[in-house]
Each structure stands twice: as structure tokens, then as C-alpha cells.
Amino acid sequence: MAERRRRARVAEGEGLLERTLLLFDTNVILDVVLARDPWSDDAAALLDASARGDIVGLVAGHTLTTVHYHVERARDRRTATTAVNDLLQVVTVVPLDSADFHRALSLGLREFEDAVQVAACLRAGAHFLITRNARDFRGTSVAVRSPSEARGLIPRNAAE
């Protein structure tokens, strides 16, 4: 229960300077859930760091629906539901409203889904958007890192 209260405070903007805030693009989450090599190890290390509280892992709400959809298609409904439930235990969902979707529409990105990721990143004040597709976010005001680059953002003594 204390962990859920901490996450609620994080989502509201309290205590954000203590840890690095990383917003995970959908592809990073799917790399872990679907064990997509060679990317799954880096992505899993980031989710583990979020679970330990060494970083604050964030996802946009639509990431959950997209993950469920793709995992159900690749595996089955039970696996998809378990994956989303597990994800909710280790990340904070960034709440979005109509202003965020209007912002996303105004960004002029080729893919609306990517624009919503940027809007979520801005809403949360995330330090970095973590994705394997950095080129999709060119020209935006968010700092983008790959999962392998982001592993360097985890405090050195965190995994010890």
C-alpha cells in the first residue's frame, strides 16, 4: 500500500528530483514481455531498476492497451492480462487528458502514437523517453535514449 501511495505522489509530481524519470516507449515494454532478442536484456534491466525504485519508470496509458493487444495476438489473453498486471506493479502510468492529445496532434509527427508518447513525456516531466526508434522522435523537445544507453542512468550501486 505504501508503494502505491509513493507512486501516486510521483504521478502528482512530488519527489521527482530524487530519481531519474524514464518514460518507456511501447516497443521497450514489448521487448521484455515478448522476449524479443537482442533487445530484451536492456529493457528488462530498466524495468528491474524501476521495480527496485532506483529510477521511476513511466508509461503512457495507451501503452498498456497496446501491450495487451500485441501480447494477446502473439500469445493469448491470459498472458496479456498477466503482462499488464505485472507492468502496473513496476511503472507509473502518466495520466493524460484532452490537452495532452491536442498537444500531440500539434507536434506534426508522422505517427500519432509517437506524438502521444512525447506528450506523456512532457506531462510527466520525464528526463528521457526510452525507445529503440529514436528517429521517430526527431525534432521534438524530449531527450531520447535507447534502452542500452539508459542502462547508464541507473545508479551504480543500485543493483548491488
Side-chain angles (χ1 to χ4, degrees):
M1 191 63 141
E3 178 63 16
R4 288 195 188 272
R5 282 193 299 273
R6 179 198 65 81
R7 287 193 189 165
R9 285 193 309 274
V10 168
E12 293 168 5
E14 296 179 21
L16 298 182
L17 298 177
E18 299 170 12
R19 290 181 301 271
T20 303
L21 279 71
L22 304 179
L23 186 119
F24 300 123
D25 193 5
T26 306
N27 62 55
V28 174
I29 303 300
L30 287 171
D31 288 345
V32 175
V33 176
L34 296 176
R36 299 193 301 200
D37 286 326
W39 310 289
S40 59
D41 288 345
D42 289 330
L46 296 173
L47 288 177
D48 288 344
S50 182
R52 289 190 309 269
D54 299 329
I55 60 161
V56 177
L58 305 166
V59 295
H62 75 285
T63 296
L64 300 172
T65 61
T66 304
V67 165
H68 192 282
Y69 173 81
H70 285 288
V71 173
E72 184 174 0
R73 288 194 59 160
R75 301 291 193 300
D76 56 59
R77 172 167 244 156
R78 185 176 187 173
T79 303
T81 300
T82 299
V84 170
N85 188 53
D86 291 349
L87 187 58
L88 287 168
Q89 302 304 309
V90 299
V91 298
T92 298
V93 178
V94 177
L96 299 174
D97 61 22
S98 60
D100 298 303
F101 288 98
H102 283 290
R103 176 186 249 176
L105 287 168
S106 73
L107 290 174
L109 293 181
R110 194 170 61 94
E111 297 284 337
F112 181 58
E113 193 273 337
D114 292 336
V116 175
Q117 295 288 9
V118 171
C121 197
L122 295 170
R123 163 66 72 147
H127 297 106
F128 299 97
L129 191 155
I130 309 305
T131 183
R132 284 192 291 103
N133 302 321
R135 71 183 178 283
D136 294 343
F137 300 95
R138 279 192 207 135
T140 67
S141 61
V142 299
V144 177
R145 297 290 183 274
S146 70
S148 61
E149 292 168 330
R151 284 183 82 166
L153 301 171
I154 300 170
R156 291 218 181 268
N157 60 355
E160 297 175 0

